[in-house]
């Protein structure tokens, strides 16, 4: 089988929903990061939630599309990884994207839903305990490989 799922995954990942929905000020205000957390700082909560859902969805979509079209399991995983890389390093934005947390969640929610659910709970506990999204993100991402 060809490597097209990886290319499609990357291209899905490069869609900058934070920039498209949050506007160019997302790049210059807050952390300057193209992610839902920065959109929350710069724009309304409703816009940040839409960005979050869409960033999760593009990770899940890369995996789902590869599975549906009959890719081998290794290519399905590679397509998910490519979506994450596309979010973090989008060719359209001079390879300056977001941190990839929501897109990573979308990939893992598709590949290992139970592990992703537990990681989400750890994320929530980290944010509740510290009031920092980054602490919750790091806690979830560090725990995720062991949970899988």
């Amino acid at each position: 089988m060809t490597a097209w799922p990886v290319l499609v995954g990357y291209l899905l990942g490069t869609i900058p929903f934070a920039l498209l929905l949050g506007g160019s000020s997302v790049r210059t205000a807050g952390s300057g990061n193209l992610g839902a957390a920065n959109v929350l700082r710069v724009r309304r909560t409703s816009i940040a939630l839409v960005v979050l859902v869409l960033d999760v969805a593009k990770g899940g979509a890369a995996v789902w599309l590869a599975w549906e079209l009959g890719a081998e399991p290794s290519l399905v995983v590679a397509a998910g990884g490519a979506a994450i890389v596309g979010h973090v390093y989008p060719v359209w934005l001079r390879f300056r994207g977001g941190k990839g947390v929501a897109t990573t969640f979308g990939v893992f929610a598709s590949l290992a839903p139970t592990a992703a659910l537990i990681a989400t709970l750890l994320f929530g506990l980290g944010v509740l305990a510290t009031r920092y999204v980054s602490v919750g993100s790091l806690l979830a991402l560090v725990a995720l490989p062991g949970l899988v």
Side-chain angles (χ1 to χ4, degrees):
M1 175 162 244
T2 64
W4 67 264
V6 176
L7 177 61
V8 171
Y10 176 81
L11 292 174
L12 281 170
T14 65
I15 302 169
F17 291 115
L19 190 61
L20 294 172
L21 300 175
S24 61
S25 63
V26 172
R27 278 289 207 198
T28 58
S31 67
N33 183 39
L34 287 183
N38 197 44
V39 173
L40 181 61
R41 289 182 195 104
V42 176
R43 297 284 180 219
R44 296 187 313 264
T45 303
S46 59
I47 296 172
L49 286 173
V50 172
V51 169
L52 176 66
V53 168
L54 291 172
D55 282 350
V56 169
K58 69 184 176 183
V63 171
W64 176 81
L65 187 59
W67 273 127
E68 284 299 309
L69 296 175
E72 297 173 15
S74 60
L75 270 178
V76 172
V77 172
I84 297 165
V85 170
H87 181 83
V88 177
Y89 301 107
V91 66
W92 327 115
L93 300 174
R94 298 182 186 171
F95 303 101
R96 291 183 52 235
K99 290 183 177 66
V101 176
T103 304
T104 300
F105 176 77
V107 169
F108 276 90
S110 296
L111 293 172
T114 303
L117 177 63
I118 296 168
T120 301
L121 295 174
L122 291 171
F123 169 83
L125 289 173
V127 173
L128 281 174
T130 65
R131 311 257 315 143
Y132 288 104
V133 172
S134 58
V135 171
S137 298
L138 287 173
L139 182 61
L141 288 174
V142 166
L144 199 51
L147 293 169
V148 171

